[in-house]
Amino acid sequence: MRDEVDDLVEAWGRERGDLDLAPVEVFSRISRLARHLDLARRDAFTAHGIESWEFDVLAALRRAGAPYELSPGRLLRETLVTSGTMTNRVDRLTARGLVERLPDPRDRRGVLVRLTLEGKAAVDGAFEALLAAEADLLADLPDRDRTKLAALLRSLLAPFGSPTP
Amino acid sequence: MRDEVDDLVEAWGRERGDLDLAPVEVFSRISRLARHLDLARRDAFTAHGIESWEFDVLAALRRAGAPYELSPGRLLRETLVTSGTMTNRVDRLTARGLVERLPDPRDRRGVLVRLTLEGKAAVDGAFEALLAAEADLLADLPDRDRTKLAALLRSLLAPFGSPTP
DNA sequence: GGGAAGTATCTCGACATCAAGACATATCAC
DNA sequence: GTGATATGTCTTGATGTCGAGATACTTCCC
């Protein structure tokens, strides 16, 4: 089975036969898969009326467990966006009634963002749809290969370290 | 070795133990690796004075082979951006002297974008830097594992088909 | 306690991208 | 040939993100 990257590597090989293109075989595929996944995610979510950036925020709150509250600072570290962006996102999610802002009782500088019941329902539905769509993409891969793939990816990802201190 | 996604899966497992999280083990790692790679790319390129979007365009021209010419339409299919974006990018690359616009001799609606000598030097230097940076990330992975990883990724990517008709 | 430094959040301006439409030229059917 | 449709590129307006700065509160140290 041939893929887009085989073409890419072939073209580079013609032009720069002097270089070792082995890294491209791995990383180009990862980048391209990530792009296709973004589109698949988008599709899965629009069926549930939410967008990818909304899912990112709601999912972080959902994973935190009851009472589904996190500070904006924690949220921006989880989702890797800047503070200005997070303010904007929380504004829009509040307007849609999926989250609400509360004063932080332990720090009067701070705020807590809390999932509403409606937000919890939305993120749970969207997550199930996402898992279903992703499971489809893995349908042809034997369990054994899937496990091996996850392990190899882990060994590449682990050195980057966790972004949540 | 533990990675960010192990934490992620653990958190989801606590909250939604009813779901099969196997797809997350694969696709979350791919998405996160892609993000880290973007940053690594950015670093490798800034040392050579160009930005990631510039590399995407210049590399497409470079891979095409001499005389390093492609139409804007072809470029936007290669780089997956819209036509407005490509117009803007070619404008800026032209201003920097890395590419030039020529009328297409075979179609008077059309234009050809051609790499300048300066552009060719820039993209070649940047590509070598990128390969070096990526090779570093693979340093701890035995050749055999790297090959296996590339093959598994290919089997996921192939069904998406080639974007260049 | 009082002042300095640190932390948390929000505001504002700049910018790259997208989506839709405008315009010019090519291609096809008759 | 002529008209209708398709194609290729550029323009325009809206939007989301980033980065830097502003503001408010807390914490640390003397």
Side-chain angles (χ1 to χ4, degrees):
Chain A
M1 193 75 162
R2 194 174 170 80
D3 73 354
E4 332 166 9
V5 174
D6 288 319
D7 297 337
L8 182 77
V9 169
E10 190 181 306
W12 273 120
R14 261 196 303 273
E15 295 297 318
R16 295 301 306 270
D18 57 318
L19 299 174
D20 174 14
L21 299 172
V24 177
E25 298 264 5
V26 172
F27 293 119
S28 247
R29 290 196 169 92
I30 289 176
S31 291
R32 281 157 195 265
L33 271 169
R35 203 151 38 188
H36 289 299
L37 280 174
D38 269 353
L39 296 176
R41 254 164 63 105
R42 204 178 309 277
D43 287 349
F45 291 156
T46 46
H48 285 255
I50 78 172
E51 297 180 49
S52 294
W53 64 263
E54 292 180 306
F55 180 80
D56 289 340
V57 177
L58 298 177
L61 293 168
R62 180 66 182 81
R63 281 198 307 272
Y68 311 118
E69 290 173 353
L70 289 175
S71 69
R74 179 74 189 280
L75 280 173
L76 61 90
R77 280 187 294 275
E78 294 266 344
T79 60
L80 302 179
V81 298
T82 61
S83 63
T85 299
M86 188 51 69
T87 298
N88 183 5
R89 289 184 173 186
V90 173
D91 285 349
R92 284 179 286 161
L93 286 168
T94 302
R96 287 200 51 190
L98 301 177
V99 306
E100 54 193 349
R101 256 189 262 247
L102 329 167
D104 184 338
R106 316 159 84 94
D107 185 338
R108 278 196 301 179
R109 293 169 303 181
V111 174
L112 289 177
V113 180
R114 179 197 288 167
L115 213 51
T116 63
L117 280 178
E118 207 178 343
K120 181 170 180 246
V123 68
D124 277 344
F127 187 49
E128 289 164 25
L130 174 64
L131 281 178
E134 289 185 345
D136 273 358
L137 297 176
L138 286 175
D140 292 339
L141 201 68
D143 283 9
R144 190 180 176 69
D145 283 347
R146 193 199 62 232
T147 308
K148 176 78 174 163
L149 176 55
L152 289 169
L153 290 169
R154 180 189 288 110
S155 74
L156 283 186
L157 185 58
F160 286 105
S162 175
T164 44
Chain B
M1 194 71 164
R2 193 175 171 79
D3 72 354
E4 331 167 9
V5 174
D6 288 319
D7 297 338
L8 181 77
V9 169
E10 191 181 306
W12 273 120
R14 261 196 304 273
E15 295 298 320
R16 295 300 308 268
D18 57 319
L19 299 175
D20 174 14
L21 299 172
V24 177
E25 297 264 6
V26 172
F27 293 119
S28 245
R29 289 195 169 93
I30 289 176
S31 290
R32 279 157 196 266
L33 271 169
R35 203 150 41 189
H36 289 300
L37 279 174
D38 268 353
L39 296 175
R41 253 165 64 105
R42 204 179 309 278
D43 287 349
F45 290 155
T46 46
H48 285 255
I50 76 173
E51 298 180 48
S52 294
W53 64 264
E54 293 179 305
F55 179 81
D56 289 341
V57 177
L58 299 177
L61 294 167
R62 180 66 182 82
R63 281 197 309 271
Y68 311 118
E69 290 174 353
L70 290 175
S71 69
R74 180 74 189 281
L75 280 173
L76 62 90
R77 280 187 293 275
E78 294 266 343
T79 58
L80 302 180
V81 298
T82 61
S83 63
T85 300
M86 189 51 68
T87 298
N88 183 5
R89 287 185 174 186
V90 174
D91 284 350
R92 284 179 287 162
L93 286 168
T94 302
R96 288 200 52 188
L98 301 178
V99 306
E100 55 193 349
R101 257 191 261 247
L102 327 167
D104 184 338
R106 316 158 86 94
D107 185 338
R108 278 195 302 178
R109 292 170 303 181
V111 174
L112 289 176
V113 181
R114 180 196 290 167
L115 213 51
T116 63
L117 280 178
E118 207 178 344
K120 181 169 181 250
V123 68
D124 277 345
F127 187 50
E128 290 164 24
L130 175 63
L131 281 177
E134 290 185 344
D136 273 359
L137 297 176
L138 286 174
D140 291 338
L141 201 68
D143 284 8
R144 190 180 176 71
D145 283 347
R146 194 198 60 233
T147 308
K148 176 78 175 163
L149 176 56
L152 289 170
L153 290 169
R154 180 189 289 108
S155 72
L156 282 187
L157 185 58
F160 286 105
S162 175
T164 43

